[in-house]
Amino acid sequence: MHFPVSPEVAFDYLADPVNRPEWQSSLKGVEDIDGLVRVGQSWIDVTTPGLRPRMETTELDRPRRWTERGTWRMVTAELTLEFAPAPGGCEVGVQMHLEASGLLRPVGPLLTRLSPLAVRSDLKRAAAILAKRYPA
């Protein structure tokens, strides 16, 4: 996914949970943010369907790589974004993995296949927001 800003600008915007409701379509808000952006930072995503996963930053290598893990009941999701310089800005790569246990275990692989579509749509929104804030 192309972002028309530097890797540092894209990284700082996407890694900060305060910004998430602006670009992530499934969120109404975030709560209980545990301090500044860092490994171990945690927060709660308040989703439109009413789910409230506990999120945590598990990897932070500014401006190259950022990973978060979210848990809600029997589902754990991990999202990694990788940032690389590119002409006119940067490229943001996405890796997503979901695991489900109990009765939800059979839907884990399906969710893993479908989730990147939603993430890419949200990243397009984020790229458009940053393009307006930082016009070339």
Side-chain angles (χ1 to χ4, degrees):
M1 170 76 45
H2 183 76
F3 275 66
V5 295
S6 70
E8 292 82 4
V9 170
F11 184 98
D12 291 346
Y13 180 73
L14 294 171
D16 191 340
V18 169
N19 298 323
R20 293 174 72 108
E22 184 175 37
W23 61 268
Q24 191 173 337
S25 61
S26 64
L27 287 187
K28 291 195 297 188
V30 293
E31 295 178 349
D32 197 23
I33 299 172
D34 176 25
L36 299 175
V37 175
R38 69 188 189 299
V39 170
Q41 179 188 35
S42 66
W43 66 95
I44 295 173
D45 278 352
V46 180
T47 68
T48 303
L51 310 177
R52 299 172 65 86
R54 167 62 67 179
M55 309 299 293
E56 179 183 2
T57 299
T58 58
E59 182 179 9
L60 188 101
D61 180 15
R62 182 183 186 269
R64 290 177 282 285
R65 186 176 168 98
W66 173 80
T67 302
E68 70 176 15
R69 181 182 312 123
T71 54
W72 183 78
R73 298 192 183 186
M74 295 181 281
V75 178
T76 300
E78 187 169 274
L79 170 69
T80 298
L81 300 179
E82 294 183 325
F83 302 79
C90 69
E91 291 296 321
V92 178
V94 178
Q95 296 174 16
M96 182 97 185
H97 181 74
L98 283 97
E99 288 187 25
S101 60
L103 295 174
L104 294 177
R105 179 178 224 136
V107 300
L110 177 63
L111 292 174
T112 294
R113 283 193 298 271
L114 295 177
S115 295
L117 300 174
V119 172
R120 284 189 182 93
S121 175
D122 288 341
L123 290 176
K124 284 181 185 177
R125 182 178 294 108
I129 290 167
L130 290 177
K132 288 179 184 174
R133 285 195 189 155
Y134 302 94

